[in-house]
Every structure is written in structure tokens, then in C-alpha cells.
Amino acid sequence: QQQVKQSPQSLIVQKGGISIINCAYENTAFDYFPWYQQFPGKGPALLIAIRPDVSEKKEGRFTISFNKSAKQFSLHIMDSQPGDSATYFCAASLRISNFGNEKLTFGTGTRLTIIP
Amino acid sequence: GAGVSQTPSNKVTEKGKYVELRCDPISGHTALYWYRQSLGQGPEFLIYFQGTGAADDSGLPNDRFFAVRPEGSVSTLKIQRTERGDSAVYLCASSPGQGENSPLHFGNGTRLTVT
């Protein structure tokens, strides 16, 4: 059962443009929503994350928008650069211990290509 | 500083064989996770360790899969009687294990191919 749905599967954006990737979740118990960036042959790396009590979080060119009532969140990459070309995964986290550790459920990924 | 190290980076084995995959977490990280990533998919949770104990192994697909972390640092994922469907990239991640939403630091994975 897929609990986090991600779209689009692939995305091509011109250099300098805005890249937008969308995710939707089902489980209202999720309490942490990170985005990961993955380059070929590498493990995923945390890009930015948001908690459900905040509607937007911005870090540099990367912004997460979060809509709790719609159970949706999105990643916006402003001024997209060729170096941003990678696969992006949204995730949702369910706390699994009192230590604050999280069990991540990932989306299926979006392959982003930035063309000059 | 050193990140999460996984060895080997690639492993090719024959169907029915036994394999061990090793993970060296970031020094001082008490939490360790194993995920499996199939081609074109996001990582799927397998097991989580807090210290030496497996706090959640609900993602292990069946009893052919087993993981240990005897001293609370290095972990080994063991797969018995491998099947072609086990072919995937096995990712290890660690986190400080303290405070809310401790971020996961992933290794580059072990690519397992079962022929």
C-alpha cells in the first residue's frame, strides 16, 4: 500500500526556471516531511524538511509548501541550475520510538533534468 | 568527516547463496537503519536499531533476512538462500538518535545482484 504518492515521475526544466514536485500522503499520523536528493550511485541526502504545524519553509533556493487539510506538500526549486539535476524523493515520517527517531516512507521519486 | 560506509559497494551472487552486507555508521550515531531501494523506486524501510537492539524489524520481507548490531556500532544485514527478487540497492543510514527528527545520513549503498 503506497502511502506517499509523488508526481511527476520525470521533469525537464530550463535553467533559471522553477521546478515543482508534488506529493500527497494518506496517513494523518505522519509528523515530519523531508525531501531527499539523490545522485546516481549515491545515497539519498536530506535537502529540506518541514513539520505539519508550518505551512512553508524556505532554505536558499528550496521551498517546501505544506497543506495539512489537503494532505499535500510540494518542493519548489527556484532559479534551477544544471547541478540540481538529480532524483528527488519526498518522504513522510512516523515516529517509532521515544528517542525521536523516524521511520521514513518514501515517494517513488522524480527525475529532474535542468537543461541549459 | 567520514560518512556512513557500506561494503561491498557491489555484490553479485548466485541464487540460493548466503550474503552479508556491512554498514559502518557515523561515529557516535546511536540509531541505524536499513532500507532497500529497487530500480526506479524510493527506498523501503527494512529495520531500525537503537543501540544494539532491533527496535523495529517490521520491514524485513521474510525470515531469510536478518540483521545484527552486536556492539551498537557496525551492523550486518544477512540474507539467506538469496532469490533473484532480492536484487536491489541496500542502503544503510544512521542518525544521532537524540532530539526530535534526527536527520538520517545515508551511505551509498550496496548493489546486490542475484543471478
Side-chain angles (χ1 to χ4, degrees):
Chain A
Q1 178 185 0
Q2 185 183 6
Q3 296 192 58
V4 180
K5 295 183 179 181
Q6 184 171 347
S7 64
Q9 187 175 6
S10 62
L11 180 62
I12 299 174
V13 174
Q14 199 132 25
K15 179 182 174 184
I18 303 173
S19 304
I20 302 174
I21 304 170
N22 301 298
C23 283
Y25 64 97
E26 299 168 6
N27 190 343
T28 55
F30 288 142
D31 65 352
Y32 180 60
F33 300 88
W35 284 88
Y36 281 81
Q37 179 187 56
Q38 187 174 31
F39 293 103
K42 302 294 185 183
L46 179 65
L47 194 60
I48 186 173
I50 198 168
R51 290 183 57 81
D53 53 352
V54 176
S55 62
E56 184 175 284
K57 183 174 182 180
K58 183 176 181 179
E59 290 185 359
R61 297 185 294 110
F62 302 92
T63 299
I64 300 178
S65 297
F66 187 83
N67 186 329
K68 187 174 181 178
S69 61
K71 294 189 287 186
Q72 295 176 347
F73 58 111
S74 60
L75 175 70
H76 292 62
I77 306 174
M78 311 299 288
D79 187 26
S80 299
Q81 299 296 312
D84 297 331
S85 297
T87 300
Y88 292 80
F89 293 95
C90 63
S93 183
L94 190 65
R95 178 156 300 171
I96 54 177
S97 79
N98 290 329
F99 292 92
N101 288 293
E102 313 286 348
K103 177 178 178 178
L104 292 172
T105 298
F106 283 85
T108 51
T110 296
R111 178 173 286 187
L112 174 64
T113 303
I114 307 301
I115 54 175
Chain B
V4 176
S5 176
Q6 292 188 246
T7 54
S9 56
N10 283 283
K11 176 71 176 177
V12 181
T13 191
E14 293 180 348
K15 179 176 178 295
K17 298 290 188 183
Y18 167 83
V19 296
E20 290 189 352
L21 311 179
R22 177 188 169 105
C23 173
D24 280 89
I26 293 172
S27 178
H29 281 193
T30 59
L32 185 145
Y33 304 76
W34 285 98
Y35 282 77
R36 179 168 72 173
Q37 186 172 22
S38 300
L39 190 64
Q41 299 296 314
E44 293 179 299
F45 172 82
L46 295 177
I47 186 169
Y48 154 65
F49 288 89
Q50 181 60 44
T52 60
D56 185 340
D57 65 356
S58 61
L60 295 178
N62 51 60
D63 61 5
R64 294 187 298 104
F65 288 75
F66 189 72
V68 295
R69 194 186 186 200
E71 297 178 357
S73 178
V74 171
S75 177
T76 304
L77 178 65
K78 308 180 180 190
I79 310 174
Q80 298 178 322
R81 304 183 303 281
T82 52
E83 300 178 356
R84 292 193 180 89
D86 298 335
S87 297
V89 175
Y90 289 81
L91 294 165
C92 177
S94 68
S95 77
Q98 298 294 330
E100 296 207 342
N101 306 128
S102 301
L104 269 60
H105 300 262
F106 283 88
N108 290 332
T110 293
R111 181 176 297 278
L112 176 65
T113 304
V114 182
T115 62

